[in-house]
Amino acid sequence: LVICREHLPASAYTRVMAMAQERKSAWPHPADLLLVGILWTAAIKGLVSSYPSARELGWLHAAFALFMTGVVAYDTSTRQTSWWSLVRPWAIVAWMFTLYSTLGRLSVAAVGDNTFDPVLARIDEALLGFDPSHEVQRFVTPRSVEVFAIAYAWFIPYIHLALFLNLESRGGENRERFLTAWTLLYALSFLGYLFVPAFGPGAFPREHDHTELQGGFFFQLVQDSVAVSGGLFGVFPSLHVGCSVFLCYSDWNRDRLRSLMYIPIVLGIYGATIVLRYHYVIDLVAGTLLAFSTPSIGRWLYTRWESRR
Amino acid sequence: MIYRFISWCARLALAVFFRRVDVVGIEHVPRDKGVLFVSNHLNAFVDAMLLRVVLPRPVWLTAKETLKRNPMMRMLLWATRTLTVQRREDQQGTSGNRAALVQLASLLASGEQIAIFPEGFSHSEGRLRPFKTGAARIALQAIEKSDQVVVVPVGLVYLQKSVFRSDIVVRFGPVIDVSQLPADKREPHALTAYFQSAVSALAVPLSPERSEFVRWVAELVISDGIVPRRIGEARDNYLPRYVEALERISTGYDRLDAGRVADIQDRVLRLHSLTGGAQLAASELFLPLSWWRVAIFVVRELEVLLVAGPIALLGFLNHLPAYLGTRAIVALTAKDEDHVATNAVFFGLPCFAFCYLAQSAAVAALWGLGWVVAYAVALPYSGAVVLLFRDRMMDSRRRLASFFALVSNRPRRDQVQEQARALVRDIKDLLKEVSQ
């Protein structure tokens, strides 16, 4: 707290002091529980796999899980607010973004070639009567690929900025509720990644061959960034759609203009995931459902935890 | 069906013209009884539309008989469930009102809701006009027919009634059960006086010559020491608190002696001059100047400017013809301040609808029918964005002006805040004195 007083602006210091004086709960914060829960699930999933690469990643996640269990246990057992409570929002976001790569890689490593791509593709065809990523090829031009690549690339700055502004400007309970709901969204999506691993329509060989997509600078940028992050994994549900809809929806009652201005970005992301063949339609449906349901479930979880103080 | 459609149109038109409508005391309105709403009348037909929009159950309205002379108005009155009454001012006499009063009382007794404006006409006089006895007569007749009838006083508070994107607070008072009043009050004139005192406790009479000063002081009193909200975020309960402060200060203004009021006015003027003559909003006096908040402000507003700006530009260009058309019609037709909002709402709806149709037809002709759907969705969307963007940019500009006024005058900033706090303390003491 002395460091905080010296280095933080007065308003932030007041907020830190208020948090430090809060009465502690005997139960772990729901966001902490969700993080620890998903870490342990990933560790077990990797450790029980017959593939050595998955077991390696399983050990890595077991180490993560052990560390975080210790942190949360320490935070819950101390009488005073610990450093973890102060950094929780930022740390959980950092954890989830890290897990997006490591856990996705684990999930596909744990099943080898036996992914759920055929199942997801069949669901799409049952839902729509055709393969959407194949059908849209008729309308796709290098220019439209480039436009959708821009929309897809926009996702990264959009969610980082929107998350930062939400966590920074929401105070007290409002921020905790938001954090719990967002963590729940990611935790549930990661469960999907772990238990329904898939590569997406771009990598899944179909009876009808996809023609190669042609784009420009932004398309190349998107492809390079996917390759740098380890390739295609983490398909069901679509977190691109889930997170962008979640952020748009959670601003609706708070800052209507921001919510409205995000709508074209969100629609662009919906289109881009199909046109660029990163997701099946069912992934988008699942992501959308999660985005609309997690705010209220997260609020309920947090309120329940609050009532136990 | 027609009633619902008209209510929906009214809701849409009011949401466009006014920035925020806050409702206080709606819990006073019973859901299972006949309710007579007695309200002050400041903004012509907008008052009636407002009550219709904020009340969950359908409400019958009352209007002057002379409106029926216009066939268009006659149709509109029918569609909006509006009954007419005769007024003495219209040289009609009130002899024909007996049947109308009986009909209104029967409706009340059967559990319907009726809104009536006992002042008789809308005005901008800054105080309530004497109430006419019609409302009291209706209430007295209704309680003879049913014991399930109550009266709810309503105070409509417009912060700037003829200004586009201004705010409104609708205040519902506690229920008046006429049947439970003492016998001497259950007489038309006494009951009318009782209604008037109930409505005057909710309405905030602001005479035009002093409204600016009272507003500034009210804003100062409620923002005392509070860090201003972030631009764009909803201010929970701000408007009702602001209106309450307005009411208390306005009442204090009337009751205090002129010398003390003049002293406060002097101090407010001195405070203004201390900020370098900048017309600093009272709520921004306590703006913190930490680098962190400034950085966040810049990031947030820059993002809005870059992302929402192009959409707002599209919305601006799409809606400009309809907006200018409505403005021109309002300038030609509005006789006084009371009819600006009403005429804007009335003529704005067809103007914008026509504009939307014309643009969609043009798009269909140029690019084919497929694009019409996308364009038809984009029109209201870009319209909503341009409205919110306009509000936001005005707030941001005000915040920036306050920031620069405080930063450029750093040595005096503490002095300004200190004087503002002292002023608020003294005003609060005075108000306490008045209320005692």
Side-chain angles (χ1 to χ4, degrees), chain A residues 7 9-12 15 154 158 161-162 164-165 168-169 253-258 260-265, chain B residues 230-234 290-293 296 299-301 303-304 307-308 311 381 384-386 388-389 392-393:
Chain A
H7 295 282
S11 56
R15 197 189 291 176
W154 202 323
Y158 159 47
L161 189 59
F164 169 73
L165 291 175
E168 195 284 329
S169 59
N253 285 326
R254 191 169 154 267
D255 190 343
R256 187 65 53 87
L257 178 62
R258 292 181 69 79
L260 281 174
M261 77 185 196
Y262 286 150
I263 289 176
I265 300 176
Chain B
R230 285 183 163 86
I231 299 287
E233 285 175 12
S290 77
W291 61 268
W292 180 250
R293 274 184 73 100
I296 295 291
V299 170
R300 278 169 67 97
E301 299 317 300
E303 192 206 7
V304 168
V307 182
I311 308 169
Y381 167 73
V385 170
V386 75
L388 296 175
F389 187 78
R392 180 136 184 165
M393 286 302 116

Side-chain angles (χ1 to χ4, degrees), chain A residues 158 162-163 165-167 169-170 174 177-179 181-182 185 242-256 258-260 262 266 291-292 294-296 299, chain B residues 233:
Chain A
Y158 159 47
L163 260 175
L165 291 175
N166 266 294
L167 290 175
S169 59
R170 285 174 193 258
N174 195 356
R177 276 198 295 266
F178 173 81
L179 178 71
W182 184 83
L185 170 77
C243 187
S244 50
V245 173
F246 176 90
L247 291 170
C248 183
Y249 176 53
S250 53
D251 264 336
W252 184 254
N253 285 326
R254 191 169 154 267
D255 190 343
R256 187 65 53 87
R258 292 181 69 79
S259 190
L260 281 174
Y262 286 150
V266 172
F292 282 114
T294 45
S296 42
R299 195 181 310 124
Chain B
E233 285 175 12

Side-chain angles (χ1 to χ4, degrees), chain B residues 29-51:
Chain B
V29 180
R31 286 172 177 265
D32 51 353
K33 289 183 177 175
V35 187
L36 176 67
F37 296 97
V38 283
S39 171
N40 57 332
H41 202 7
L42 300 168
N43 213 352
F45 202 65
V46 167
D47 290 345
M49 284 165 71
L50 202 57
L51 284 177

Side-chain angles (χ1 to χ4, degrees), chain A residues 99-117:
Chain A
L99 282 178
Y100 183 75
S101 300
T102 63
L103 187 139
R105 206 170 297 178
L106 184 151
S107 66
V108 289
V111 290
D113 290 332
N114 305 316
T115 64
F116 277 75
D117 282 295

Side-chain angles (χ1 to χ4, degrees), chain B residues 7 24 57 75 85 92 106 170 175 190 266 306 319 324 335 344:
Chain B
S7 294
V24 182
R57 276 201 292 153
M75 213 160 69
V85 287
Q92 285 183 319
S106 307
V170 183
V175 159
D266 274 357
L306 290 176
H319 294 82
L324 290 178
K335 302 187 296 259

Side-chain angles (χ1 to χ4, degrees), chain A residues 124 128 130-142 144-145 148 201-202 206 208-213 270-281 284:
Chain A
D124 262 17
L128 305 168
F130 55 85
D131 169 15
S133 63
H134 185 255
E135 284 298 312
V136 294
Q137 281 182 36
R138 289 192 287 150
F139 309 102
V140 166
T141 60
S144 63
V145 167
F148 281 113
R206 312 288 279 268
H208 42 73
D209 284 334
H210 283 131
T211 51
E212 195 73 21
L213 288 175
Y270 267 100
T273 54
I274 296 294
V275 171
L276 304 183
R277 302 171 193 162
Y278 290 135
H279 284 286
Y280 300 98
V281 170
L284 312 191

